[in-house]
Amino acid sequence: MPHTHPPHLALIPRPDAETAAPPDSAAFRELEGILAGQQLRAVFQPILDLRGRAYLGFEGLIRGPEGSPLEFPLQLFAAAREADRLLELERSCRETIFKAFAEQHLPGHLFVNSSPTSLRDPAFRNGTTMDLLRDLGLTPSRIVIEVTENQQIDDFPALRDALLHYRGLGYRIAIDDLGEGFSNLRMWSELRPEFVKIDRHFVHGIADDPLKFQLVRSMHDIAETSGAFIIAEGIEREADFTTIRDLGIACGQGYFIARPTAKPPIQPEKTALSALAAGQIMVFPNASAGSGMATARNLLQYITPISPLAPNDKVYERFEMDPEIQVLPVVDDGGTPVGLINRHNLIDRFARPFRRELYGKKPCTMFMDPAPLVVDHQLPVQEVSRMVSRASSHYLQDGFVITENGRYAGVGSGQALMALITELQISAARYANPLTQLPGNVPLNEHTDRLLESQSTGGAAFAACYFDIDNFKPFNDAYGYRRGDDVIQLLGRLLVGVADNRRDFVGHVGGDDFVILFQSDDWEERCAKALRQFDEQILNLVEPEDLRRGGFAGEDRKGRPVFNPLPSLSIGAVRVQPGQFHTHHEISAVCAGAKKQAKKQPGSSLFIERRRPILSPAGGIGLEEIDGSGESPQSDGNELVEPFLP
């Protein structure tokens, strides 16, 4: 796998090989000896079919003589480039890999990197390679040509025609390093390759990076449409491997699956097979709170600025030529913004008698706002909105200047800012709670359905736990909504802390209601920890007098004075076994019932629903008692409530 690991694993060097130091005469002599003595060595890295749980094939990689200065491809190909022998080296690499692959009788496909230049090499197209494959007992249909974009593609039509020629001979095509080069998306569109390899940059860390996750998911969607198989390169961590698996990506390659070796195993190793067979699914990185990723750059509109020395007549002409421009940025020769000129302000001044004759030749700085609002392109849009709202009202009309590294990048309008903020708020209402930024109802339901779907194919049981704060409304009424928000945020942080962020999904369904979908085996202990921590930390949000009294004064619905206990935490839990539930609606209904049972207990408590669900003919859901008692043992404090024990 060329780029997944150190450069010595590559057959064709990456662009950074261009920066390698020119080889000395010893390197030239070493290269001559390698080519003359056929001293190249082939190593192979398996490519795993994640669905079939078997190797799809192997990528052929090259090395020079062990211990020599040209053992690694970076130096090897740099020497060949300086000696103008790249094509000769690539021919030797192909022959070495083909022979080693055939000698070991390796199964599946053989992936071979090929530069755009080598694809037009007459020695590749004159039948010599076909004769070699025939002598080795290999068919072109087993060979996958990986187009490696390590050179600038000057003649795309010629490259396309060359690849179509090879496809006509039976070879298969793969685009390597999707996302790294500048023309592989075009090749994907025009050539419809059988395989597309995603660059390791987008794969490494995908389990924790919402943006990488969304990009790879989009690539996967395109592959599904075009009929291509995606191969995720650079898989080094189990978490990334599991995320790729759960995304439905067809194939994977990387150190976690297998390292390159001269004699690779023909069966997948136990580590990868165990990860494939694991019944638990990954919690996808939370891109639903993506409103936090929107920055001033999302609002950027580039308007060609004007110099501070330009006359007002020049500004007037710009406004006349382009009626869509409402403001004109004034930027000095160094790229520093110095002001904004408002269209209506200038035209209004010029509309008065003799004003244009008097001021037309004067510098435009005369009518500009010398103190415009300036924001960096990386500033979150929420912060931009706060700055605009706190500033003078004309900033909302004039907009603001957007800079990058202190230099003018463009302008943003108040209208575009308000539109984006509104869009983000609508999205947040569906996908993330704006108070805690935790996933909301939509992603929670999606993850529940993923868990249920996983159970239909052998997935493990999980626990759905509904968290609710007791006496929250009276507390909110007595202490004010600001303190109430503090309690909700406290619980949100607490739940994130007790959950395993890769196995347990934490959702905020609204108000003081939260849900955790636990795949952790010790979920009951985690719930008990949440109860203890809530009881300890809520004390910091209660006034000392109420702490001494053990509660706070309030009024009931009829306005009569009442004494309310301090807020506590109730948890209703349901153990979801395979085959018990079919939709997230059913799980939600049983969780709500369990939560009601927990709230009947004094203080913080956990109620675990152990009755079996029964679906009614009308589509409702009931519960069947296991022990017939129907009695729930009493709980005191943080004692776990476990009714219906068999």
Side-chain angles (χ1 to χ4, degrees):
M1 184 170 53
H3 56 297
T4 304
H5 302 290
H8 67 274
L9 301 179
L11 170 59
I12 306 299
R14 300 291 150 182
D16 55 6
E18 300 287 351
T19 62
D24 55 20
S25 58
F28 278 102
R29 292 193 297 271
E30 182 74 22
L31 175 66
E32 180 68 34
I34 290 174
L35 294 176
Q38 298 182 345
Q39 300 175 34
L40 295 173
R41 298 178 297 127
V43 293
F44 300 92
Q45 185 169 34
I47 298 172
L48 179 62
D49 180 346
L50 303 183
R51 299 166 182 172
R53 302 187 181 184
Y55 287 150
L56 171 75
F58 302 81
E59 180 173 357
L61 310 165
I62 207 71
R63 293 178 183 172
E66 188 172 2
S68 76
L70 302 185
E71 177 180 1
F72 304 138
L74 185 63
Q75 292 76 23
L76 178 64
F77 279 87
R81 182 178 298 104
E82 292 296 323
D84 196 22
R85 302 183 71 175
L86 271 175
L87 285 180
E88 184 181 353
L89 175 59
E90 287 201 48
R91 292 184 209 123
S92 296
C93 289
R94 282 198 303 270
E95 293 177 5
T96 300
I97 290 172
F98 288 158
K99 290 177 181 178
F101 185 80
E103 287 173 0
Q104 296 187 55
H105 303 286
L106 294 176
H109 296 290
L110 171 61
F111 288 71
V112 181
N113 291 319
S114 298
S115 67
T117 301
S118 72
L119 293 171
R120 298 192 293 271
D121 180 9
F124 199 174
R125 304 184 63 167
N126 63 7
T128 303
T129 301
M130 292 289 285
D131 291 339
L132 174 62
L133 292 177
R134 191 178 300 109
D135 293 341
L136 295 173
L138 299 174
T139 61
S141 61
R142 294 186 61 192
I143 308 300
V144 181
I145 299 175
E146 283 193 33
V147 184
T148 305
E149 200 172 342
N150 57 77
Q151 304 168 352
Q152 182 173 343
I153 300 175
D154 297 318
D155 191 347
F156 187 89
L159 174 62
R160 178 193 59 207
D161 293 343
L163 289 171
L164 291 175
H165 165 77
Y166 292 119
R167 174 173 279 161
L169 296 175
Y171 293 96
R172 301 191 180 194
I173 307 298
I175 295 176
D176 198 13
D177 299 342
L178 181 67
E180 182 184 70
F182 51 85
S183 65
N184 45 24
L185 280 176
R186 181 179 174 185
M187 284 193 288
W188 191 355
S189 173
E190 294 194 19
L191 295 173
R192 302 298 173 93
E194 287 79 11
F195 303 96
V196 176
K197 286 192 162 186
I198 299 177
D199 183 74
R200 75 176 302 272
H201 168 78
F202 301 100
V203 175
H204 184 72
I206 188 175
D208 309 306
D209 191 320
L211 182 57
K212 288 183 179 181
F213 174 81
Q214 293 296 342
L215 287 169
V216 172
R217 180 153 70 175
S218 297
M219 296 176 194
H220 174 55
D221 291 341
I222 298 173
E224 292 282 299
T225 302
S226 66
F229 287 98
I230 287 285
I231 301 175
E233 295 189 286
I235 302 176
E236 300 180 355
R237 309 186 308 164
E238 182 174 2
D240 294 337
F241 178 86
T242 307
T243 301
I244 290 294
R245 178 203 70 179
D246 291 349
L247 263 176
I249 301 296
C251 305
Q253 182 179 357
Y255 274 14
F256 180 78
I257 296 170
R259 292 174 175 264
T261 180
K263 294 183 178 180
I266 61 175
Q267 296 294 333
E269 298 178 2
K270 183 178 179 181
T271 302
L273 288 178
S274 297
L276 277 176
Q280 296 181 335
I281 65 173
M282 280 293 293
V283 175
F284 289 153
N286 180 24
S288 58
S291 58
M293 299 190 301
T295 64
R297 180 164 286 277
N298 295 89
L299 304 166
L300 189 147
Q301 176 191 8
Y302 183 79
I303 296 177
T304 303
I306 198 164
S307 167
L309 302 177
N312 287 316
D313 278 340
K314 183 76 170 178
V315 177
Y316 188 83
E317 291 172 5
R318 285 283 304 275
F319 283 136
E320 277 196 322
M321 290 172 55
D322 193 343
E324 298 299 320
I325 295 180
Q326 301 302 313
V327 292
L328 194 60
V330 183
V331 179
D332 65 21
D333 292 339
T336 302
V338 296
L340 273 181
I341 302 176
N342 180 282
R343 163 190 286 273
H344 300 291
N345 184 38
L346 180 80
I347 293 178
D348 181 63
R349 290 172 183 266
F350 270 28
R352 301 174 188 177
F354 310 113
R355 287 299 179 94
R356 185 165 184 181
E357 289 78 4
L358 287 171
Y359 301 117
K361 305 300 182 184
K362 301 287 186 181
C364 65
T365 53
M366 184 177 194
F367 294 139
M368 77 175 187
D369 177 2
L373 183 62
V374 179
V375 301
D376 185 78
H377 72 114
Q378 294 182 328
L379 194 68
V381 292
Q382 292 88 347
E383 185 61 31
V384 176
S385 178
R386 281 192 285 268
M387 292 174 65
V388 171
S389 64
R390 292 169 183 168
S392 177
S393 60
H394 77 273
Y395 287 122
L396 188 60
Q397 178 182 353
D398 291 353
F400 41 89
V401 178
I402 301 174
T403 59
E404 183 172 356
N405 297 323
R407 297 170 61 86
Y408 171 76
V411 298
S413 69
Q415 181 181 4
L417 174 63
M418 294 301 100
L420 181 56
I421 289 292
T422 301
E423 180 183 340
L424 294 176
Q425 287 174 341
I426 293 173
S427 175
R430 295 184 66 230
Y431 291 95
N433 188 282
L435 182 61
T436 62
Q437 288 299 297
L438 289 172
N441 289 284
V442 172
L444 174 63
N445 293 339
E446 288 176 350
H447 189 77
T448 306
D449 290 339
R450 285 183 59 219
L451 288 166
L452 292 174
E453 183 180 357
S454 172
Q455 286 188 341
S456 67
T457 57
F462 64 95
C465 298
Y466 193 155
F467 296 77
D468 183 52
I469 301 174
D470 306 318
N471 304 310
F472 177 75
K473 187 179 184 306
F475 181 88
N476 200 58
D477 292 340
Y479 279 81
Y481 71 90
R482 185 76 68 181
R483 188 69 63 88
D485 286 351
D486 291 342
V487 174
I488 292 174
Q489 290 176 320
L490 163 67
L491 180 56
R493 292 192 301 269
L494 187 153
L495 296 184
V496 170
V498 301
D500 183 329
N501 66 334
R502 288 182 176 157
R503 303 172 73 185
D504 308 324
F505 186 98
V506 183
H508 187 177
V509 297
D512 60 318
D513 293 349
F514 293 78
V515 170
I516 299 184
L517 301 174
F518 281 109
Q519 292 184 92
S520 296
D521 294 333
D522 59 345
W523 64 271
E524 293 187 44
E525 287 79 2
R526 293 175 186 267
C527 285
K529 182 178 180 181
L531 295 173
R532 290 194 301 270
Q533 291 186 351
F534 184 85
D535 283 350
E536 293 168 359
Q537 297 180 29
I538 192 64
L539 302 181
N540 298 323
L541 299 177
V542 177
E543 296 298 331
E545 181 180 350
D546 291 337
L547 277 179
R548 290 192 297 270
R549 294 189 301 176
F552 55 94
E555 294 181 349
D556 63 14
R557 294 181 178 179
K558 296 183 178 181
R560 293 173 298 195
V562 294
F563 183 78
N564 299 290
L566 296 178
S568 55
L569 181 62
S570 290
I571 309 173
V574 177
R575 184 70 167 163
V576 182
Q577 300 289 347
Q580 282 188 336
F581 297 89
H582 301 94
T583 69
H584 59 262
H585 298 290
E586 297 169 1
I587 296 175
S588 176
V590 177
C591 277
K595 181 202 69 171
K596 290 180 181 178
Q597 293 295 330
K599 291 180 78 69
K600 294 178 181 179
Q601 310 300 323
S604 295
S605 61
L606 166 68
F607 181 96
I608 303 175
E609 180 58 80
R610 298 191 182 276
R611 293 174 292 180
R612 289 188 293 263
I614 303 174
L615 296 178
S616 70
I621 188 166
L623 295 168
E624 178 185 43
E625 295 182 11
I626 294 177
D627 69 346
S629 68
E631 295 295 326
S632 172
Q634 296 299 310
S635 170
D636 192 19
N638 289 329
E639 180 183 347
L640 297 182
V641 181
E642 298 187 353
F644 311 114
L645 295 174

